Amino acid sequence: MSHGAVDEGRRVGDRPSGETMSRYVQALAAVLSLAGAGGLAACVDQAAGGGAGARDQITAVGSSTVYPFTTIVAERYLADAPRARPPVIESTGTGAGIKLFCAGLGAAHPDIVDASRRLRRHEYAECARHGVDAILEVQIGIDGIAFAEALDGPRMALTPADIYRALALAPGGRPNRARLWRDVNPSLPAIPIQVYGPPATSGTRDALAELVMARGCEVVEPDTVGLQERDPNAFATRCQRIREDGAYVDAGENDNLIVQKLRANPDALGIFGYGYLEQNGDVVRGVALNGVRPGYATIASGRYPGARALYVYVKKAHLRAIPGLRAFLRRYAALWGTDGPLVKRGLIASPPNVQRRAATIIAGEIALDPRELR
């Protein structure tokens, strides 16, 4: 990525106050009545008088997995509109990004959140509580959470049950004492369990819990089948909490750092989005889950157990205020196809019907129905 094309720090306008703010709002109303929403030259403060001035550039926060795809879109957007200010794209993790996104409308708050999992109902409710109640949900493609090892690693092959036994805080209700992979499965090598992965704020960490740990738990402890629907909190405590004794190492939101750690420690495993595995195939390889390696075809078909959808969420109100935001989203839709640059960077293209639905949402600015969320 060219650092001259996309800003990686968050910048907003200065905050007006008191009488200055009152005059600003009055003047803005006059501009709106004359020019209409499409003619604005900067983002208006839509946070009920408590925002932070004006902004004339797009801002996005969120998933480290989606981050490289959004930066590519930003660069292509700037190529089409060279006079536009570079978008500010931040890799904060999905959970942290959603909190920033939901905090309010206006120049002080981001326009887009990249997400490596779907928005949750309680998160939408928090958004709505702050006035963010019209949100576009756009699936940009598919990804897989990949387990990876160095090319000179032990050639591991795992199952969700192995991963649950190795990483759960208390498998079977007892503190996890496993130190070697052989402790969880006699067919695995006698090497220390050390897994570098994302933090609790990451959508990839959520996907690890939901797509892998939960499945492994239900295999190892059959009495947990159906518990997630009956008592989600009890299921999360029993099946999805990760041990904190050093076997799992929180490597932050920098997936490239995980790749570097695998090169330095060939016996370790790493967890990140498939796109990073694809981009670093010269130094790491995917670890098979249930006999299936992470790859474009296996993830697209759903055969790989860690497949998941990727999203961007956009504030509908900001489409009327942020210069270029509509064009930015249209650019995303133009780039996510099977032969597009996002796929070349590691994205798995959505099926054609999903792509059409996402493009329709962008074109019609169709807001998400929160009743669809869990």
Side-chain angles (χ1 to χ4, degrees), residues 3-159:
H3 291 278
V6 181
D7 289 347
E8 296 181 354
R10 192 161 187 263
R11 297 191 297 222
V12 297
D14 295 332
R15 180 188 295 271
S17 59
E19 185 178 351
T20 301
M21 184 64 183
S22 177
R23 291 198 302 269
Y24 173 81
V25 172
Q26 292 173 8
L28 176 61
V31 171
L32 283 170
S33 65
L34 292 173
L40 289 178
C43 173
V44 300
D45 177 11
Q46 302 173 70
R55 170 162 51 77
D56 61 355
Q57 64 190 143
I58 297 164
T59 62
V61 294
S63 166
S64 64
T65 300
V66 181
Y67 171 84
F69 307 130
T70 300
T71 58
I72 290 172
V73 174
E75 290 172 352
R76 298 300 180 97
Y77 160 77
L78 285 173
D80 293 340
R83 297 181 64 182
R85 292 194 65 192
V88 177
I89 316 295
E90 286 187 282
S91 174
T92 64
T94 296
I98 288 173
K99 288 181 180 179
L100 292 168
F101 179 83
C102 288
L105 296 174
H109 308 288
D111 314 308
I112 298 170
V113 61
D114 299 330
S116 56
R117 60 164 173 80
R118 199 176 194 198
L119 192 71
R120 293 170 176 155
R121 183 171 291 182
H122 73 87
E123 292 170 331
Y124 182 92
E126 182 67 10
C127 272
R129 194 170 72 84
H130 292 96
V132 186
D133 57 359
I135 301 170
L136 275 60
E137 178 185 71
V138 181
Q139 182 176 332
I140 65 162
I142 305 170
D143 181 48
I145 53 166
F147 284 76
E149 63 181 1
L151 294 181
D152 56 346
R155 294 189 174 276
M156 297 281 276
L158 300 170
T159 67

Side-chain angles (χ1 to χ4, degrees), residues 263-280:
R263 296 182 68 178
N265 182 3
D267 284 343
L269 298 183
I271 304 172
F272 39 64
Y274 168 74
Y276 281 90
L277 177 64
E278 177 78 7
Q279 292 299 309
N280 292 280

Side-chain angles (χ1 to χ4, degrees), residues 265-334:
N265 182 3
D267 284 343
L269 298 183
I271 304 172
F272 39 64
Y274 168 74
Y276 281 90
L277 177 64
E278 177 78 7
Q279 292 299 309
N280 292 280
D282 56 334
V283 293
V284 296
R285 63 168 164 259
V287 172
L289 293 184
N290 285 344
V292 181
R293 290 192 179 276
Y296 190 98
T298 59
I299 295 171
S301 67
R303 289 195 297 120
Y304 180 69
R308 58 177 174 172
L310 300 179
Y311 301 90
V312 295
Y313 291 92
V314 186
K315 292 170 182 170
K316 185 170 181 177
H318 283 205
L319 291 169
R320 299 190 298 270
I322 298 289
L325 185 55
R326 286 187 171 105
F328 186 91
L329 289 182
R330 290 195 297 268
R331 204 74 181 100
Y332 229 128

Side-chain angles (χ1 to χ4, degrees), residues 195-200 205 248-253 261:
V195 179
Y196 297 105
R205 173 79 165 261
Y248 182 93
V249 181
D250 180 339
E253 294 290 352
K261 288 182 178 295

